[in-house]
Structure formats: C-alpha cells, structure tokens
Amino acid sequence: SQQGEEDPQALSIQEGENATMNCSYKTSINNLQWYRQNSGRGLVHLILIRSNEREKHSGRLRVTLDTSKKSSSLLITASRAADTASYFCATEDSSYKLIFGSGTRLLVRP
Amino acid sequence: EPEVTQTPSHQVTQMGQEVILRCVPISNHLYFYWYRQILGQKVEFLVSFYNNEISEKSEIFDDQFSVERPDGSNFTLKIRSTKLEDSAMYFCASSEAGTGRKSSGANVLTFGAGSRLTVL
C-alpha cells in the first residue's frame, strides 16, 4: 500500500515554538494533503501540495514535498495552544483515492 | 459553511446486531466515502461511492458492510452483524472531485464529525 507514515508519532512543544512533522509514502502520487483532527472530531483539510510542487505556504503552515525521497513535511510556525491536535498526511493515488497515515499527535503547552 | 453531518454520534450495540450509520453529505458533492478509525490508530479507507454505485472498496469492506444512498440526501453505512473489532469511529466524507475518474481538481475531502460505534 502507499499509506503515508508520519513521524514523530507524538510531539510536545512550548507555545511559540515551531512544530515539524514528516510524512513518507511508498508509490507515485497525484498530490499530498495534510489534515488536522481535534480529539474526537472529524478531519479538516489544511493544505494540499501537488506532485509537481516543492513548497507551499498557507498562513503559519509550510509544506514541502520531495518526490524523489517520497516524503513531505509540515511546519507550523509560532505554535499556539489551539494547534494541539493530531495531524495526518494523505496521499492521493492514481484512482484519486485518499490514503491516510497514522498521524502525529501534537501537544502545544501554553 | 457547508458541512457533512453524521448520526448517531455514538451507538452502543451488542455483537451480532445490525447497525446503520447515517450521513448527509454536502449537497453539491458527488463523491462519498466512509473511513474508520480504531481508537488512536490510523484513518482507514473503507469505501467510495459515486453515481449510485461503489467506486472502490478496501479489504476491510467485506460482505458484512454495505452502503446505500436511499434518497437524494442521505448516505448510509450498514454493518449486518457487528463484531467486537468493528468498534471504531466511522467517518463519512464527501468531495466534488473523486475516485475512479479523471477530474480537473484534486480530491479534497470534507469530513463529518464521526459516529462512534461500540460493540459489546
């Protein structure tokens, strides 16, 4: 399968610090997306990067994609306590199906 | 902002019982999905649905599972005879673009808040 696998599994940082989460996948993709999940809730789409893009920004989010290494990273700058959540990468395969990884649980301490 | 709604939010059932989870996707979306998440684990694809038929299904989606769009708004997941290992959070999602066909846009999903199923 081409599930994305995130690391670290869990990350604890102080408010104001940057948080970096990584995702690796196995096969070719159309695009890679990051989603956020608050505890006990559904996933919310954050940002999408296409396979021909290398970097994308959205507010405090920065996503990179390295298709040669089949990896992506999500950087959240100047983190806030409200950023506490689980973050999942999802890869869109050739049939446009989204496959999610295991997620990174981010805790931002006030 | 349009949202995907799911009912019930939590259902407790006895092993072997039938369960139906309901979803109302976003009205102008054409592609519908069910995913599940066992507590603390990854979000797993179950099935995608387009034009009143299943587009794709995973190995998890065996004969115990079925999906239906009984009317113009609801999208349901039925588990015929629940097992203990079916206990999970079930998420419905919908999208404008989707699986199985060439689309101009990427497949961005809007998820519901989930239905927690507990099988005793």
Side-chain angles (χ1 to χ4, degrees):
Chain A
S1 79
Q2 62 169 60
Q3 292 167 331
E5 295 297 332
E6 292 92 335
D7 82 271
Q9 290 185 332
L11 180 61
S12 178
I13 60 173
Q14 201 70 37
E15 201 165 31
E17 294 179 339
N18 295 341
T20 300
M21 289 159 269
N22 302 296
C23 169
S24 61
Y25 57 92
K26 296 177 182 176
T27 61
S28 62
I29 60 172
N30 295 333
N31 62 68
L32 186 143
Q33 304 176 33
W34 286 90
Y35 286 75
R36 168 193 166 126
Q37 182 184 34
N38 286 356
S39 180
R41 305 291 295 175
L43 288 84
V44 176
H45 178 259
L46 292 176
I47 193 167
L48 177 151
I49 187 165
R50 297 186 187 276
S51 58
N52 61 353
E53 296 176 312
R54 292 296 167 259
E55 187 169 313
K56 202 158 183 182
H57 297 252
S58 176
R60 293 185 295 112
L61 304 180
R62 174 181 163 237
V63 172
T64 63
L65 179 65
D66 187 336
T67 52
S68 66
K69 294 181 180 177
K70 292 185 168 53
S71 66
S72 171
S73 67
L74 172 68
L75 169 68
I76 304 174
T77 59
S79 63
R80 306 165 182 167
D83 294 329
T84 294
S86 291
Y87 292 82
F88 293 85
C89 71
T91 50
E92 182 185 295
D93 66 12
S94 56
S95 70
Y96 307 95
K97 179 170 82 257
L98 276 191
I99 298 296
F100 288 82
S102 304
T104 293
R105 293 189 310 281
L106 174 66
L107 171 65
V108 182
R109 303 186 305 275
Chain B
E1 186 168 331
E3 57 181 30
V4 175
T5 56
Q6 290 186 240
T7 54
S9 56
H10 189 192
Q11 180 153 357
V12 181
T13 190
Q14 295 291 323
M15 191 169 55
Q17 295 296 305
E18 176 182 283
V19 161
I20 297 177
L21 306 178
R22 292 182 168 79
C23 170
V24 179
I26 292 174
S27 60
N28 65 337
H29 284 184
L30 300 177
Y31 300 85
F32 315 116
Y33 308 85
W34 283 101
Y35 285 79
R36 80 171 185 190
Q37 184 181 33
I38 295 171
L39 186 62
Q41 298 186 26
K42 64 179 65 174
V43 177
E44 300 174 295
F45 170 79
L46 291 179
V47 66
S48 59
F49 191 87
Y50 168 74
N51 200 25
N52 285 319
E53 60 182 23
I54 290 174
S55 305
E56 196 165 348
K57 59 183 180 180
S58 71
E59 293 176 351
I60 302 167
F61 195 88
D62 61 22
D63 291 343
Q64 294 297 314
F65 291 89
S66 63
V67 289
E68 193 178 33
R69 188 156 163 82
D71 53 44
S73 60
N74 291 286
F75 178 51
T76 62
L77 174 69
K78 181 191 289 186
I79 309 174
R80 289 190 185 83
S81 178
T82 50
K83 304 186 285 287
L84 295 176
E85 54 265 37
D86 293 328
S87 293
M89 196 78 159
Y90 288 81
F91 292 104
C92 174
S94 66
S95 67
E96 293 179 342
T99 63
R101 53 182 278 141
K102 198 161 181 64
S103 55
S104 57
N107 192 18
V108 175
L109 271 56
T110 301
F111 282 83
S115 293
R116 180 173 300 282
L117 175 64
T118 302
V119 182
L120 303 176

